[in-house]
Amino acid sequence: MQQTFTKESIVGDIVTKFPKASDLFKSYRIDFCCGGNRPLIEAIEERELSPEQVLTDLNTLYSESKALQDAEIDWLNASSQELIDHIITKHHRYLNEELPQLSPYITKVLRVHGTSNPHLSTVHTLFHRLKTELEQHTIKEETHDFPLLLEHEQNPTEETRRNVMKIVQELENEHYTAGNLLKKLREATNDYTPPQGACGTYRLVYQRLEAIETDLHEHIHLENNILFSRV
């Protein structure tokens, strides 16, 4: 089988070329958003995985998907305006709806089960830190940062270039903070595995936390590895 991707392929570039690779990386717990700017072999070794197995799985999945002519939008060649519109309407909207809706369930599970499951206090703290970070982050992007990115792309000047470079650095730092909080949430929840006999609300909280992780990984990837790279 032809090896489209190798040990030296950059993680973020792999997901840019083949978005479905994000599902495989998620199963292996390989960070493709904040940790996307490094060779695949570094991520594999960090997770203590088999390079041969990961590469076989990745290239097999790519070959099968290519054969099926997956109709996903090619964001690499979409305009920045189209990409930003997609980020706002899909990912920002999801966070704007999900974060406040999930918050009372996080608190309820802590109140009911926190005595016998002390890690839920950590989950409660981490989630609300993440909620605050993301709410402020998305507002700033929509009202200030994205418009300046588009302005620089359409009418580049030395002043807009300096402003945009500063913005990108700030946003990438914010993404790193969010990604680190996600990692801590996954650790605190034992990979989002509820204890035996957990009630329905307890299980629902873990499922929805993992869904936020999945969406946010795709969200950050589109910005870090595609939108910002255009600057």
Side-chain angles (χ1 to χ4, degrees):
M1 179 181 65
Q2 182 180 359
Q3 295 290 304
T4 302
F5 305 110
T6 69
K7 296 178 182 179
E8 301 307 317
S9 298
I10 302 301
V11 173
D13 291 346
I14 294 172
V15 180
T16 297
K17 179 179 178 66
F18 180 41
K20 199 172 179 59
S22 62
D23 294 333
L24 181 65
F25 287 164
K26 183 174 181 294
S27 71
Y28 280 125
R29 294 178 61 188
I30 290 176
D31 180 4
F32 61 87
C33 50
C34 295
N37 190 29
R38 58 176 175 170
L40 178 58
I41 187 61
E42 289 186 14
I44 290 173
E45 290 175 346
E46 178 182 85
R47 298 293 307 141
E48 298 182 351
L49 301 169
S50 163
E52 292 74 19
Q53 185 64 55
V54 173
L55 284 168
T56 297
D57 290 347
L58 176 61
N59 284 293
T60 298
L61 185 63
Y62 178 75
S63 297
E64 292 174 349
S65 298
K66 188 175 181 182
L68 292 173
Q69 296 182 333
D70 194 344
E72 287 191 56
I73 296 174
D74 180 8
W75 292 117
L76 189 62
N77 293 309
S79 71
S80 296
Q81 183 68 68
E82 289 174 318
L83 182 55
I84 286 173
D85 288 344
H86 171 75
I87 290 169
I88 291 174
T89 57
K90 179 181 179 182
H91 299 292
H92 285 197
R93 180 178 178 181
Y94 169 73
L95 291 173
N96 290 338
E97 294 175 354
E98 180 64 3
L99 292 173
Q101 290 175 354
L102 183 55
S103 178
Y105 291 104
I106 298 277
T107 301
K108 179 181 179 180
V109 169
L110 172 62
R111 181 178 295 114
V112 175
H113 302 284
T115 301
S116 56
N117 295 273
H119 72 279
L120 290 174
S121 178
T122 301
V123 172
H124 183 273
T125 299
L126 290 171
F127 170 78
H128 285 96
R129 284 177 58 193
L130 180 67
K131 178 176 180 292
T132 299
E133 288 280 344
L134 292 176
E135 286 173 341
Q136 294 177 357
H137 176 81
T138 55
I139 290 171
K140 185 164 70 74
E141 282 190 328
E142 292 180 24
T143 60
H144 180 264
D145 298 342
F146 285 167
L148 284 181
L149 288 175
L150 291 173
E151 177 187 346
H152 173 68
E153 184 175 76
Q154 294 162 8
N155 298 292
T157 66
E158 183 59 29
E159 181 180 1
T160 60
R161 187 192 70 81
R162 288 195 300 269
N163 290 337
V164 164
M165 294 300 291
K166 181 180 178 181
I167 286 170
V168 167
Q169 183 64 56
E170 290 176 351
L171 292 179
E172 288 185 339
N173 288 341
E174 291 168 11
H175 289 165
Y176 178 82
T177 298
N180 193 43
L181 288 170
L182 286 173
K183 290 178 181 178
K184 291 180 178 179
L185 271 170
R186 178 169 279 280
E187 291 172 1
T189 58
N190 189 28
D191 291 333
Y192 300 111
T193 305
Q196 188 174 5
C199 70
T201 302
Y202 202 139
R203 295 196 302 271
L204 177 65
V205 162
Y206 276 28
Q207 290 170 356
R208 290 172 70 168
L209 282 173
E210 187 167 25
I212 288 174
E213 179 191 79
T214 298
D215 182 84
L216 198 58
H217 280 176
E218 180 185 347
H219 175 179
I220 294 175
H221 162 70
L222 290 175
E223 294 188 18
N224 279 15
N225 299 328
I226 300 180
L227 181 63
F228 298 164
S229 68
R230 296 177 179 183
V231 176

